[in-house]
Amino acid sequence: QVQLVESGGGLVQSGGSLRLSCAASGRITAINDMAWYRQAPGKQRGLVARIMHDGSSTLADSVKGRFTISRDNSENTAYLQMNSLKPEDTAVYYCNANIREGLSAWENHWGQGTQVTVSS
């Protein structure tokens, strides 16, 4: 069974940095796009960054110039480097990926989420 496991969240002061990791495990044949979403209390979950298998990526306007998404295809892992963090970046960050397991069809998977808290 495919699993996405996030790590790297925590408490950081405004202006600080964190690096999130998302590791996919299971009988994985291929991973298409990997993405990071976030959800703050009382708000809808929204896309932060997405990276395709070829390394092309997109970032939400609110994080451009501060966040970088990358991936290691050999390790089935995606990363989110977050610099110049602001209190408004406080949220639960979720990893999402479209994965093909064995010979089955592509399926969308979510991680359990990791809390990021930025203090002012």
Side-chain angles (χ1 to χ4, degrees), residues 48-118:
V48 177
R50 183 187 307 279
I51 186 166
M52 306 305 291
H53 188 270
D54 65 0
S56 59
S57 63
T58 57
L59 292 166
D61 288 343
S62 60
V63 304
K64 284 180 180 177
R66 300 188 298 124
F67 292 11
T68 303
I69 188 170
S70 60
R71 65 189 281 176
D72 183 337
N73 290 330
S74 66
E75 297 291 335
N76 293 330
T77 300
Y79 304 95
L80 186 68
Q81 178 67 43
M82 305 185 294
N83 299 327
S84 302
L85 282 161
K86 304 175 181 180
E88 51 263 44
D89 294 317
T90 295
V92 178
Y93 284 70
Y94 297 91
C95 181
N96 178 272
N98 286 297
I99 297 174
R100 190 179 185 197
E101 183 178 16
L103 298 178
S104 65
W106 292 91
E107 290 189 356
N108 187 258
H109 294 270
W110 288 94
Q112 81 286 355
T114 185
Q115 176 71 47
V116 171
T117 303
V118 184

Side-chain angles (χ1 to χ4, degrees), residues 1-43:
Q1 186 175 356
V2 170
Q3 282 190 316
L4 295 177
V5 178
E6 301 104 332
S7 61
L11 173 64
V12 65
Q13 288 189 333
S14 181
S17 298
L18 284 173
R19 188 192 194 207
L20 305 183
S21 299
C22 170
S25 63
R27 206 162 57 94
I28 296 171
T29 301
I31 302 177
N32 189 8
D33 56 310
M34 301 185 78
W36 289 95
Y37 288 74
R38 67 186 180 186
Q39 186 168 21
K43 295 189 176 181

